[in-house]
Amino acid sequence: MAASRYRRFLRLCEEWPVEDSKRQRDLGSFLRQRVAQAFREGENTPIPDPEACDQMYESLVRIHTNFYKNKYPRLKDTTFTGLTVEDCRMVLATDLLKQMEGMKKGTWKRLLGKFSAKKPGEDVK
């Protein structure tokens, strides 16, 4: 029975897309890592709780097939901010987040210098 569960998870991993724009933060790559950890021995891996394994699989299938998106359709394809799905994907891309991280550090250092009592490099007289 473990062999069929393993094959189902492998099939799900093959179908699940990997987003290149979210390197190291993608749900598809995370799923692949977790399946590799959970089934270290492949088809011979003993499963301590088969019911929980089946529930996890069914939940992942519902996410993958957009079950709830189709069951509860939205009136508009925008968020409360007015951004579209494509805008959100662009904002959450790894490259843009790294650029933003660099900007945060620059802003923080600028504010720290603005509000500090003495300027860096200034000696007490």
Side-chain angles (χ1 to χ4, degrees):
M1 199 64 176
S4 65
R5 285 186 177 92
Y6 176 66
R7 280 186 242 123
R8 289 190 322 177
F9 273 100
L10 282 182
R11 194 173 332 112
L12 180 64
C13 287
E14 289 174 3
E15 293 174 3
W16 204 292
V18 175
E19 288 191 48
D20 293 332
S21 65
K22 295 181 182 177
R23 291 180 296 273
Q24 311 264 327
R25 301 179 303 113
D26 181 50
L27 185 58
S29 59
F30 178 75
L31 175 65
R32 286 168 179 75
Q33 290 172 355
R34 290 297 304 240
V35 168
Q37 288 174 356
F39 292 97
R40 286 190 179 121
E41 299 173 22
E43 293 181 351
N44 299 326
T45 303
I47 299 174
D49 190 1
E51 290 179 13
C53 182
D54 292 340
Q55 285 179 346
M56 180 68 69
Y57 175 77
E58 294 301 325
S59 296
L60 289 169
V61 166
R62 283 192 297 269
I63 292 171
H64 176 62
T65 59
N66 292 324
F67 177 80
Y68 292 105
K69 179 183 177 186
N70 297 331
K71 186 175 180 179
Y72 304 105
R74 299 180 63 170
L75 299 176
K76 297 180 181 180
D77 286 335
T78 60
T79 62
F80 74 97
T81 60
L83 294 176
T84 63
V85 173
E86 201 54 43
D87 293 337
C88 291
R89 279 195 184 121
M90 186 181 71
V91 167
L92 293 174
T94 302
D95 296 335
L96 187 65
L97 289 175
K98 284 183 181 180
Q99 288 176 354
M100 295 294 287
E101 191 65 32
M103 290 174 59
K104 286 181 190 176
K105 288 179 183 175
T107 304
W108 173 251
K109 286 181 181 179
R110 189 182 67 216
L111 288 173
L112 186 63
K114 194 176 203 179
F115 291 108
S116 67
K118 10 178 215 185
K119 295 179 182 175
E122 229 179 50
D123 293 331
V124 178
K125 294 183 182 180

